[in-house]
Amino acid sequence: MMKRTLTFLLSLLISYGYAQNPDSVTIRKIYNEALSNGKSYEWLRHLTKQIGPRLSGSAGAQKAVDWTKQVMDQQGFDRVFLQDVMVPHWVRGAKEEAFIHIGKQKTVVPIAALGGSVATPAKGIEAQVIEVKSFPELRALGADKVKGKIVFYNRPMDPTKINTFEAYGGAVDQRANGATEAAKLGAVGAIVRSMTNVHDDNPHVGGMRYGTGVALIPTAAISTNGADLLSKSLQENPALTFYFKQNCETLPDAKSYNVVGEIKGSEKPDEIIVVGGHLDSWDLAEGAHDDGAGCVQSIEVLRIMKALGIKPKHTIRAVMFMNEENGLRGGVQYADLAKKNNEKHIAAVESDNGGFTPRGFGIVGKPEQREKIMAWKPLLAPYGLTEIGPSGGGADIGPLAQTGTVLLGFKPDSQRYFDYHHTTIDRFEAVSQRELELGAASMAAVIYLLDAYGL
């Protein structure tokens, strides 16, 4: 009993100590500002409802560039500027068509072309279907069984993974490389089960890539309900045929921009801390969670610092990266320009996992750098930020790692992300204002600590 009492009193003393810590006081003010006067939610409303889909090279992407620059100018940041970047320009064209054909019966199923895919012939493609769960299974069948057919990849995300990003990582190779693997064996098309554990009629799109030296065959995502129906139908009627038609094309690269706003450092202006998200989204969605949330949260970090009169030692930059979804050109260009301009980036924080309840940060860096950041847990834990440790940083900030920049990936709760990911339902209405604002405050708190103590 005495031991429990002493442990309890010690925990109270520790908590009291941190409550009186100047950093703890500042972090409390950061959260108060975000939750009482936050701008991120209304910014997200405009980005999604007034601009909408923002695939690289599109008119929507350009409108988003113009608008985010205007927002950061209006906030009075010390410097706001654009970085030129040439981006892929893929367009979907007319809505896709697909059906399962058994005898005289045609059952329509929802599909959507994967980003970067070629079109089908004008009249579409109809062929028998080979269902597989993996590339080894496909290769074991051989060209004799695959040639002239449509390969149907039907490996679901693993529902037992608590972190849904792990489940996504275990299934997404089908989407990325499925067309190439099928084409190697003479297939005429590829259909991929959507990357989600939800059973619905929404195809989840995303990028794919073609390998060299193989035919470019059309490939599309099929909704999970559609995939289940196709699989069941194949068990009952192995000789059925599947028809699909898509009208996409890749146009010449287009000029676009990263949008950058910064507050100059008061002591070390030549040392930079980045916070950012990607401005582009897939063409079917408003891109609310992916990644409008990350963009408005990043701008909000700088607004909060100005509102509280925090004068950072280092230069703090909010970067809206272009072309994360189908090329990563913006992230690569940013890192290349940083190297060319001899800029020193000490840390970069990325938000690209949705606008859900904050859980923590993944850290990429040297052991001593990770340990320093993890030592801030007592300051951050009261706000639910308990998952702080080695993990991924982020796609757009990834290229900065080669110059020694410490990377931090913002980690919201992952359970609902893939309900919306790359679909038509990734809309403003799917985002909670409070969760979004808590995320912005969490990022601002970590940026504050990174600036105060360096790495």
Side-chain angles (χ1 to χ4, degrees):
M1 183 68 178
M2 179 65 73
K3 185 176 180 181
R4 290 182 185 176
T5 303
L6 288 172
T7 301
F8 175 70
L9 289 173
L10 181 61
S11 67
L12 281 179
L13 286 170
I14 292 172
S15 298
Y16 181 79
Y18 274 108
Q20 302 306 306
N21 182 296
D23 292 328
S24 183
V25 171
T26 299
I27 290 171
R28 179 70 261 184
K29 289 179 179 178
I30 286 171
Y31 275 86
N32 289 348
E33 175 63 25
L35 296 171
S36 300
N37 305 308
K39 303 294 184 185
S40 58
Y41 194 63
E42 288 308 313
W43 287 338
L44 184 63
R45 185 195 303 274
H46 185 99
L47 182 62
T48 55
K49 294 302 183 185
Q50 300 303 312
I51 297 174
R54 310 175 294 280
L55 190 60
S56 296
S58 68
Q62 185 57 48
K63 288 179 182 178
V65 165
D66 295 338
W67 178 76
T68 49
K69 183 178 184 301
Q70 179 185 358
V71 167
M72 290 197 281
D73 278 329
Q74 290 172 345
Q75 292 306 307
F77 299 155
D78 294 332
R79 185 184 176 210
V80 180
F81 59 98
L82 303 178
Q83 293 180 330
D84 296 1
V85 54
M86 296 300 293
V87 298
H89 189 191
W90 179 85
V91 294
R92 182 172 302 279
K95 184 176 174 58
E96 300 86 350
E97 305 170 44
F99 58 77
I100 300 167
H101 197 176
I102 304 174
K104 294 182 179 181
Q105 181 181 357
K106 296 180 180 179
T107 304
V108 174
V109 289
I111 69 162
L114 292 176
S117 175
V118 296
T120 60
K123 293 183 179 181
I125 288 174
E126 184 164 0
Q128 289 187 319
V129 179
I130 295 290
E131 178 181 352
V132 296
K133 296 290 202 313
S134 69
F135 295 153
E137 181 184 354
L138 175 67
R139 294 173 194 135
L141 291 172
D144 289 345
K145 293 185 178 180
V146 176
K147 187 175 181 180
K149 295 183 174 66
I150 294 169
V151 172
F152 167 39
Y153 294 98
N154 195 30
R155 182 169 81 254
M157 286 172 49
D158 185 347
T160 68
K161 297 289 187 184
I162 303 304
N163 185 328
T164 61
F165 284 90
E166 290 183 21
Y168 175 73
V172 75
D173 62 324
Q174 301 168 102
R175 192 191 75 199
N177 303 312
T180 291
E181 293 299 320
K184 288 177 181 177
L185 298 175
V188 295
I191 299 295
V192 183
R193 183 186 185 91
S194 285
M195 300 292 115
T196 180
N197 280 323
V198 172
H199 291 268
D200 63 18
D201 293 315
N202 301 308
H204 291 237
V205 299
M208 55 79 59
R209 51 183 175 266
Y210 290 112
T212 57
V214 296
L216 308 186
I217 63 173
T219 181
I222 185 171
S223 72
T224 48
N225 282 346
D228 291 342
L229 178 61
L230 178 56
S231 182
K232 182 175 182 292
S233 299
L234 281 167
Q235 292 173 25
E236 298 170 352
N237 300 277
L240 67 75
T241 58
F242 186 86
Y243 168 87
F244 74 111
K245 180 183 178 183
Q246 56 193 45
N247 306 280
C248 41
E249 62 178 318
T250 299
L251 303 175
D253 285 358
K255 187 176 182 179
S256 192
Y257 307 89
N258 294 328
V259 189
V260 185
E262 67 181 27
I263 298 174
K264 281 289 185 184
S266 59
E267 297 180 16
K268 300 178 179 179
D270 295 332
E271 295 186 4
I272 299 165
I273 300 172
V274 161
V275 59
H278 67 84
L279 194 53
D280 58 308
S281 76
W282 280 106
D283 58 308
L284 296 179
E286 292 178 1
H289 281 294
D290 188 20
D291 183 31
C295 290
V296 298
Q297 286 172 329
S298 298
I299 301 172
E300 177 74 345
V301 168
L302 272 65
R303 187 203 68 80
I304 289 170
M305 298 187 85
K306 280 185 62 69
L308 296 179
I310 297 172
K311 298 186 183 303
K313 300 175 183 178
H314 307 81
T315 291
I316 312 297
R317 274 188 186 170
V319 183
M320 311 297 105
F321 296 97
M322 183 55 70
N323 183 230
E324 188 273 346
E325 292 292 8
N326 62 335
L328 207 65
R329 303 270 186 93
V332 171
Q333 177 74 340
Y334 183 86
D336 286 348
L337 288 173
K339 186 175 181 180
K340 178 181 177 182
N341 297 329
N342 294 316
E343 293 176 343
K344 182 178 181 181
H345 287 69
I346 65 169
V349 179
E350 182 169 339
S351 173
D352 187 20
N353 290 341
F356 302 103
T357 302
R359 297 293 187 220
F361 293 86
I363 311 165
V364 177
K366 297 175 182 177
E368 61 271 22
Q369 294 169 326
R370 294 198 301 266
E371 289 172 9
K372 186 170 187 177
I373 294 170
M374 290 165 64
W376 300 333
K377 280 186 179 182
L379 291 165
L380 301 171
Y383 304 96
L385 299 171
T386 58
E387 298 177 18
I388 301 174
S391 187
D396 283 305
I397 62 175
L400 288 170
Q402 59 188 321
T403 57
T405 305
V406 177
L407 311 181
L408 290 88
F410 173 54
K411 295 169 60 176
D413 184 271
S414 74
Q415 302 311 314
R416 290 170 287 156
Y417 185 69
F418 292 100
D419 296 5
Y420 305 103
H421 185 244
H422 295 179
T423 69
T424 58
I425 61 171
D426 183 13
R427 298 189 291 260
F428 174 75
E429 292 81 2
V431 179
S432 157
Q433 178 174 354
R434 184 166 182 83
E435 289 179 310
L436 183 74
E437 291 173 348
L438 283 168
S442 300
M443 292 159 63
V446 164
I447 293 289
Y448 163 75
L449 292 169
L450 288 167
D451 176 66
Y453 296 104
L455 292 169

